[in-house]
Amino acid sequence: ADLDLHDVTTILGDDVPEMVLLDLRGRAAWKTVEGGLEISTKNLAMRMQDGVELSPTDFYFRTSQSVQSENAAQTASNELRANMLQFETLVSLANFLPLDATLRSQLDRYGPRGRVTDLDAQWHGTVDNPSSYKIKGKFANLALRQVSELPGFTGLSLEVEGSDQEGAARINTQNLIVDAPEIMREPLLFETATGQVKWQREGDEVVVHLIDGALENSDFSGQVVASYLTQTGTKGLLDLDAVLTRADLRSAARYTPLVGLDQQGGSWLNGALLAGHSEDFRVRIKANLSDFPLHESSNAIFKIGGHVHDATFAFDKAWPGIEKIAGEFLIDGNKLQVKAPSARTLAAELKN
């Protein structure tokens, strides 16, 4: 139907509230399908009484319930296409559409924000745990809330194309904030984050590769390559190598994963490293994440260190600090080493 309507009040389902539209223009079609709903639009624009606005959009959405066999439970099948979509608008409109209650609650729970263009997505099952999916699109300033063990983030921009079997994403982001309390001791801000991510299913497991990664903020600047392989019954295998060409030692605890240094250890390190800089710093991790915290007999590699200068280290508040350290700083497993030919403490020169 071609629409040019004003001051419209409608109810689109039995369990949804009344929708009050100030303006509605464009073309729209909708129909019920077996176990669900199908909606399509062409240049559809709307302005609602509650302030929600939809810019002219070409949009297609279908959701239905299907039964694979007589003994199988119903499976949700979903398809979404859009030339441009603002997620905040989608979440607001979902409250007025006769959607599956689980899908609506997931939108509320994760609170997606940001914009996507040229979106083409299909998935079976729930949004947070699909049994299969395909996706293609360009995302700008994407944000999701941190939920349970899943990290949250804001400001992520990337182009992605893939499925549950394989895919790739190219990241080009400014002012990215990552909130991963199960992994890091505090939310992290990256002024720039770039790189390519590829994933592939190998039997029952999935391997993820980060290629040509680059991160920069006020604390450090560097490059990173990494791979992660899921392993049933464990937290998975991580192989990471990062080289920093600029690093502020005062922030070392902020970027040390909780698997390597718990909150108590991180708080101590944060209070112990009072100053220092490096232009040659490296992070090397190769381990099953279930092996942490590491023991003496572990074969895992967990090293953070490099050449530092103008460093100040306070081992304990009751002890005098050591200043003007120039030498090698290294966290190796559960050991901390500082090797310096010279330093100062209590105004006295220290020589090795």
Side-chain angles (χ1 to χ4, degrees), residues 112-173:
R113 304 190 306 277
R115 185 180 72 254
V116 61
T117 56
D118 302 326
L119 176 65
D120 188 349
Q122 304 96 42
W123 69 98
H124 290 85
T126 60
V127 173
D128 59 344
N129 188 28
S131 58
S132 64
Y133 69 87
K134 291 182 179 180
I135 186 169
K136 181 179 181 181
K138 301 173 184 177
F139 297 84
N141 294 317
L142 182 63
L144 291 176
R145 293 194 190 104
Q146 187 271 321
V147 176
S148 299
E149 296 182 355
L150 296 177
F153 54 84
T154 62
L156 178 62
S157 297
L158 74 163
E159 185 174 348
V160 62
E161 181 173 3
S163 69
D164 55 292
Q165 296 299 313
E166 62 180 355
R170 184 169 294 278
I171 301 170
N172 189 358
T173 291

Side-chain angles (χ1 to χ4, degrees), residues 249 276-281 305-312 323-330 337-343 352:
L249 259 65
H277 301 275
S278 176
E279 287 76 43
D280 181 17
F281 212 70
H307 184 79
V308 302
H309 58 86
D310 297 322
T312 299
E323 305 171 338
K324 299 295 182 180
I325 299 171
E328 302 301 316
F329 170 90
L330 177 64
Q337 303 175 32
V338 179
K339 298 180 180 180
S342 64
N352 184 6

Side-chain angles (χ1 to χ4, degrees), residues 13-206:
D14 296 332
D15 59 345
V16 295
E18 183 178 81
M19 176 188 287
V20 180
L21 299 168
L22 301 180
D23 301 291
L24 179 64
R25 296 185 177 90
R27 174 170 292 185
W30 58 93
K31 64 180 180 180
T32 58
V33 297
E34 184 177 358
L37 174 72
E38 181 179 282
I39 302 173
S40 61
T41 73
K42 183 71 173 179
N43 289 325
L44 185 72
M46 69 173 67
R47 185 166 58 97
M48 299 176 60
Q49 188 181 55
D50 61 3
V52 175
E53 292 191 22
L54 177 68
S55 300
T57 301
D58 298 342
F59 177 86
Y60 175 85
F61 176 70
R62 178 187 173 99
T63 181
S64 61
Q65 299 284 341
S66 61
V67 179
Q68 303 299 325
S69 67
E70 293 183 1
N71 298 323
Q74 287 188 331
T75 301
S77 177
N78 307 278
E79 184 174 357
L80 175 62
R81 299 193 301 268
N83 63 337
M84 192 280 290
L85 192 63
Q86 196 74 28
F87 283 105
E88 295 91 332
T89 301
L90 176 64
V91 172
S92 297
L93 290 176
N95 294 320
F96 300 95
L97 300 176
L99 302 176
D100 177 74
T102 301
L103 177 58
R104 188 183 292 115
S105 68
Q106 287 170 341
L107 288 172
D108 290 338
R109 188 182 187 196
Y110 290 96
R113 304 190 306 277
R115 185 180 72 254
V116 61
T117 56
D118 302 326
L119 176 65
D120 188 349
Q122 304 96 42
W123 69 98
H124 290 85
T126 60
V127 173
D128 59 344
N129 188 28
S131 58
S132 64
Y133 69 87
K134 291 182 179 180
I135 186 169
K136 181 179 181 181
K138 301 173 184 177
F139 297 84
N141 294 317
L142 182 63
L144 291 176
R145 293 194 190 104
Q146 187 271 321
V147 176
S148 299
E149 296 182 355
L150 296 177
F153 54 84
T154 62
L156 178 62
S157 297
L158 74 163
E159 185 174 348
V160 62
E161 181 173 3
S163 69
D164 55 292
Q165 296 299 313
E166 62 180 355
R170 184 169 294 278
I171 301 170
N172 189 358
T173 291
Q174 287 77 44
N175 298 318
L176 171 67
I177 298 176
V178 179
D179 183 14
E182 297 292 323
I183 303 173
M184 310 300 290
R185 68 195 307 264
E186 61 183 84
L188 302 177
L189 167 64
F190 302 101
E191 293 169 6
T192 62
T194 61
Q196 186 174 11
V197 176
K198 293 185 177 181
W199 69 91
Q200 185 171 6
R201 179 168 293 279
E202 297 181 352
D204 294 332
E205 309 297 347
V206 176

